[in-house]
Amino acid sequence: MIKDKQGTSSHNLFNIKADNRWEGEHIQKDTLEFELGAMIKKSAPFRAYQSLDESFNDYVSFLTNNDRYQDALENSGNVERFFRVYRKQAMRPIHNMPTK
């Protein structure tokens, strides 16, 4: 679990980044990003929560309100298929995503 510089937990169970849509607290953390065919070390903001419950509820909201994961959610009755589709979508670069 991501911790701040003082060792305090962010309660971010799912390592969701804090992009420009996120209005809550965040923790800056080094991460590896795949860009232009290479792994690059970067510092990125990750969401921070007050509790594990808040983290879990935000994750459910993140999935259900994100077009990127709708194909996976359509397979929620089949755990193996759900995770196969979820992983494929989660690893897909944002710039390759179709726009609506």
Side-chain angles (χ1 to χ4, degrees), residues 10 19 28 33 36 43 47 50 53 58 62 89 100:
S10 67
D19 64 12
Q28 203 71 21
E33 301 290 332
L36 303 172
S43 180
R47 297 178 184 193
Q50 296 299 312
D53 286 347
D58 184 55
F62 179 80
Q89 295 298 48
K100 286 192 173 187

Side-chain angles (χ1 to χ4, degrees), residues 8 10 20 23 25 39-40 42 51 55 64-66 69 87 90 98-99:
T8 303
S10 67
N20 60 358
E23 296 178 3
E25 296 292 319
M39 295 302 288
I40 299 171
K42 290 183 142 186
S51 68
S55 176
T64 58
N65 294 315
N66 192 327
Y69 299 107
R87 185 170 188 275
T99 55

